[in-house]
Amino acid sequence: MIVINSREFRENQKKYFDLVDQNERVVIKRKNKSYELTPEVKNDRFFDDPRIHERIAKSLQSLKEGKGIKLTDQEQKELFGL
């Protein structure tokens, strides 16, 4: 992930658009706010990342091996705001 200020982004837009196209995360800081530059795509790029697929596969394998825990309904509500 690359974090830049708005001036850097304005001066080097092509560079940062190209990095985003290469699946790099670019965050632009402006005053007290942050913005992430993302391309418009049909699929969620989070799930297009092979590293994410690998982590999901490992997690599923751990569950199959009995290494997971079951959350109560209350714990789910507290953790996920459900």
Side-chain angles (χ1 to χ4, degrees), residues 59-71:
S59 296
L60 290 171
Q61 184 60 38
S62 291
L63 286 174
K64 288 178 184 176
E65 295 170 357
K67 296 179 182 175
I69 60 169
K70 181 164 176 58
L71 298 176

Side-chain angles (χ1 to χ4, degrees), residues 15-72:
K15 172 184 172 179
Y16 295 108
F17 285 130
D18 289 344
L19 286 169
V20 168
D21 288 338
Q22 297 169 19
N23 213 28
E24 181 68 55
R25 289 183 64 197
V26 176
V27 175
I28 303 164
K29 301 282 262 179
R30 182 174 178 249
K31 299 183 181 179
N32 295 330
K33 295 183 179 181
S34 297
Y35 305 87
E36 184 170 356
L37 188 61
T38 60
E40 182 178 31
V41 293
K42 291 181 182 179
N43 298 323
D44 184 337
R45 80 180 205 172
F46 177 79
F47 289 107
D48 288 341
D49 187 334
R51 295 171 296 183
I52 300 301
H53 288 268
E54 183 180 333
R55 288 182 67 186
I56 291 170
K58 285 180 180 178
S59 296
L60 290 171
Q61 184 60 38
S62 291
L63 286 174
K64 288 178 184 176
E65 295 170 357
K67 296 179 182 175
I69 60 169
K70 181 164 176 58
L71 298 176
T72 65

